Amino acid sequence: MVKFSREYEASIIPEWKAVFVDYKCLKKLIKRIKIARRDAGPPPLLAAGETGSSYGFSVLDPVRSIAARFAAHHAAASSPEGEEESLESDSGELVRSTDKHEQEFLEKADEELDKVNKFYATQEAELLARGDALIEQLRILADVKRILADHAAASSRRGRGRALGRANSMPPPSPSVNGSSGRHLLSGLASPQSMSDGSVELQQARVAEGAAVAEEVMAALERNGVSFVGGGLAKAKKDGSGKQLMGRAALLQLPATVRIDIPPTSPGRAALKVWEELVNVLRKDGADPAAAFVHRKKLQHAEKNIRDAFLALYRGLELLKKFSSLNVKAFTKILKKFVKVSEQHQATDKFSEKVKRSPFSSSDKVLQLADEVECIFLRHFAGNDRKVAMKYLKPQQPRNTHMITFLVGLFTGTFVSLFIIYSVLAHVAGIFSSTGSPTYMDIVYHVFSMFALISLHVFLYGCNLFMWKSTRINHNFIFDFSSSTALTHRDAFLMSASIMCTVVAALVINLFLRNAGATYTDALPGALLVLSTGVLFCPFNIFYRSTRYCFMRVMRNIIFSPFYKVLMADFFMADQLTSQVNSENLMLQISLSLAMQVLIRLTGSIFQIPLLRHMEFAACYFMAGTFRNQAYETCTSSPQYTHLAYVISFLPYYWRAMQCLRRYLEEGHDINQLANAGKYVSAMVAAAVRFKYAATPTPLWMWMVVISSSGATIYQLYWDFVMDWGFLNPKSKNLWLRDQLILKKKSIYYVSMMLNLALRLAWAQSVMKLHLGRVESRLLDFSLASLEIIRRGHWNFYRLEHEHLNNAGKFRAVKTVPLPFRELETD
């Protein structure tokens, strides 16, 4: 049976840990009471002179002892002095006790009760206010959708009636005018040129119709508390029939629009916002007064935001209910232990009553709001399908099966066996000797190093997941991952083992085909790359489709930086890409090289066209940089490759710098984001100097490498230790660390800082003139790249630990979704 203390520690909400009952501390106080009573010894039951029995033990002594205790308890209960000392007054004062350890326990328990009550009351008030705001937002959305639907239907009927009347009196209108009015109100931001088409009467009808829609929507929104810029429209309309023309002029110069606040998180939303502002400017000049009062796309985005906000609200309510139940259970358990040790029944009963009357235990507002949110979500967002609603509100956690563990062991064992077989065969064939084939070495080194580094990165990510789970770091909340589809550490280990097993199997097959004299054996590594790309883009629900799609979505956001809103997962992944770039091993470069080579080899084997062979030669050099120094006769020298490698290697740093600039603009011009962008710019400068030194190894450029790389390294180390990890705090109670540490042993943090410092200096080998052979040089490059990935995996844990502690310090356990309808200040 699991102890409650362990179950309690495993169940508490990590971000709210500081406001839960300190169960361990209360248990320690109870242990002190127990030790103090044991040291004091058992009290004498009855004096010999009082009982008249001085002849030692009697069988009636236990009965006499129990009777004496009941008598003492009854006397204390009936004594006025006992009431003043041991009972709690109606004003809520603490229960008093004669023993100092018992009194210390009761005081501590009362402090914990007050802490829990204050936090619960604060969170309850925030959630109730959020619920009221969301219900109001939903009411506004329903009003706008109803008004637009009614006017669309009315416009359609009027359009059919006008078309029928015109058909009887005049020739049919041109296709450009027909039906444009019905589409105008639904499409939202119509082109200003649409007002110039058709007759004057039709344009005036559109103006009046658009103004009516605008007035009715504004009235509906104003009833719900939303104000607008330039709200003098209705007053001009209501001045009387004699001023109807003046009201129409005011309508023609309507300067405001309904502001549905949709953050420009993507290029599409940003373009939509720019187009809306352009239309508003045109409307000020009277060019298109009926254009796009509310955009259909913006209504869809608003509805999605409101739905996400309801999900976040329900998540917060569930967490608060869990907070309440766990604390009630903790107080119940600890009071049972206290009464068992101290035998203070009356004090315990009084404190139990106080717990039961506390807001976190007795309030039912959270339960009522949770039921209301369920009903609203079921009716408005799930089509009255409770199964669909519960799928979103209460997603099921994935079941832990032993099949994944079995597959991890199976693939790992297969990989080890195949690697041993490959090593023996390669040694017998003399592949890695000085007389071996350079062509084979070039192809095999690239494909093995690329997939091996990917597998190592996935393996270290699995180690990160295991450590985050063990230390109760809520990485799914930090990355905004769904707990039902997020990877576990076993899944990451399975992906890593399967990748390496497949790669080594392909290498063994390639070696067998080469020894058998088969043609186009070099196409096998490239075919493996094409296969892995096909698995990544596979549309079927196999091989962790949700994870693959999430990865592709994050990569899209990174590549198109700064046009997408930067989330934690985006810049975290961009940081991983910076570790996959160095002067000798460029994963993107290798991928392009192998993909081009396999395409050319496969097509060349079919058509045998000389042009394709020349394309292969060009691709060999332009894409595969390490071929330029090898005796691969099919490759030629060209200076264009240097520029291509320069651009490809700088892309991750460029993307990361653009993300910092985007965050600088969105987060209130935070100067730290500009400083972070400067870190990546310094890394780009240092890499550029190293490229130049590799091309012209002169003493001047060597000193430039030392200076630029040293400056960039100091910059990066400062940012790692201070900004990303939160270390080097001189006022911390933990010497040169931070106040809060998740790991118990401080020495681990100091060792990690030294390891990060040592691995950051790996660039020093680029200025060392090491005379190594072809195989040794490849192994050194692969080892340095592996060490950088290990450093990055090591960095990941402390980065998320710091982020988690920041969330816990601000009690952030639920994400905040911006609401679409907001009040606007009048200019």
Side-chain angles (χ1 to χ4, degrees), residues 187-391:
S187 62
L189 294 174
S191 172
Q193 296 177 356
S194 61
M195 293 299 297
S196 62
D197 297 333
S199 61
V200 177
E201 292 80 4
L202 184 58
Q203 292 184 16
Q204 293 178 353
R206 290 179 186 174
V207 169
E209 186 177 1
V213 177
E215 183 181 358
E216 187 169 353
V217 173
M218 287 180 65
L221 296 181
E222 286 176 348
R223 286 195 302 269
N224 289 285
V226 179
S227 59
F228 306 97
V229 178
L233 172 62
K235 295 181 180 180
K237 184 83 175 184
K238 295 178 182 179
D239 284 344
S241 57
K243 297 184 178 179
Q244 186 74 17
L245 188 60
M246 184 177 180
R248 178 64 55 85
L251 286 173
L252 290 174
Q253 296 181 0
L254 179 64
T257 184
V258 174
R259 293 293 184 179
I260 304 180
D261 189 11
I262 305 297
T265 57
S266 64
R269 291 187 178 185
L272 180 63
K273 191 170 184 178
V274 171
W275 177 241
E276 180 190 19
E277 295 295 334
L278 177 61
V279 170
N280 291 336
V281 171
L282 293 176
R283 289 176 62 189
K284 289 181 180 180
D285 298 333
D288 189 7
F293 193 76
V294 177
H295 195 283
R296 182 176 56 186
K297 290 294 183 181
K298 296 193 73 175
L299 279 180
Q300 294 175 358
H301 293 319
E303 186 172 5
K304 183 179 181 300
N305 279 14
I306 293 175
R307 186 198 67 177
D308 294 342
F310 269 109
L311 291 176
L313 174 63
Y314 191 81
R315 170 66 176 166
L317 294 172
E318 289 294 312
L319 291 179
L320 198 57
K321 288 194 293 184
K322 183 179 180 180
F323 175 83
S324 173
S325 62
L326 282 177
N327 282 290
V328 169
K329 194 173 182 180
F331 275 117
T332 303
K333 292 286 185 180
I334 204 66
L335 290 177
K336 285 183 179 179
K337 292 180 179 293
F338 173 71
V339 73
K340 184 178 179 180
V341 173
S342 65
E343 299 179 356
Q344 296 284 341
H345 296 277
Q346 190 174 12
T348 305
D349 293 341
K350 290 293 183 180
F351 197 88
S352 298
E353 289 296 326
K354 186 177 181 181
V355 171
K356 291 180 182 179
R357 293 194 303 268
S358 298
F360 80 95
S361 178
S362 60
S363 178
D364 59 347
K365 296 179 181 179
V366 172
L367 298 176
Q368 294 176 359
L369 182 58
D371 294 339
E372 187 176 358
V373 170
E374 285 186 11
C375 295
I376 291 174
F377 196 90
L378 179 67
R379 183 169 63 253
H380 292 277
F381 303 106
N384 291 323
D385 190 338
R386 184 167 184 81
K387 185 176 180 180
V388 175
M390 291 298 105
K391 179 181 177 182

Side-chain angles (χ1 to χ4, degrees), residues 7 12 19 47 109 182 250 336 399 533 541 582 586 588 643 652 659 673 755:
E7 180 185 354
I12 62 177
V19 291
K336 285 183 179 179
R399 296 181 179 179
T533 305
N541 193 13
N582 55 60
L586 307 175
L588 181 60
H643 301 91
Q659 289 178 340
Q673 297 301 329
L755 183 61

Side-chain angles (χ1 to χ4, degrees), residues 15-83:
E15 290 80 6
W16 295 352
K17 183 177 180 180
V19 291
F20 272 82
V21 177
D22 195 348
Y23 192 80
K24 284 186 177 181
C25 180
L26 295 178
K27 278 187 66 177
K28 290 180 180 179
L29 295 177
I30 290 178
K31 191 174 181 179
R32 289 182 187 177
I33 297 173
K34 188 175 182 180
I35 293 174
R37 284 180 170 267
R38 184 190 62 189
D39 295 340
L45 299 178
L46 289 173
E50 296 175 357
T51 61
S53 174
S54 59
Y55 299 101
F57 177 75
S58 173
V59 293
L60 298 178
D61 284 347
V63 178
R64 294 192 187 102
S65 174
I66 294 174
R69 289 184 180 180
F70 273 107
H73 180 71
H74 179 70
S78 60
S79 174
E81 297 179 358
E83 289 182 357

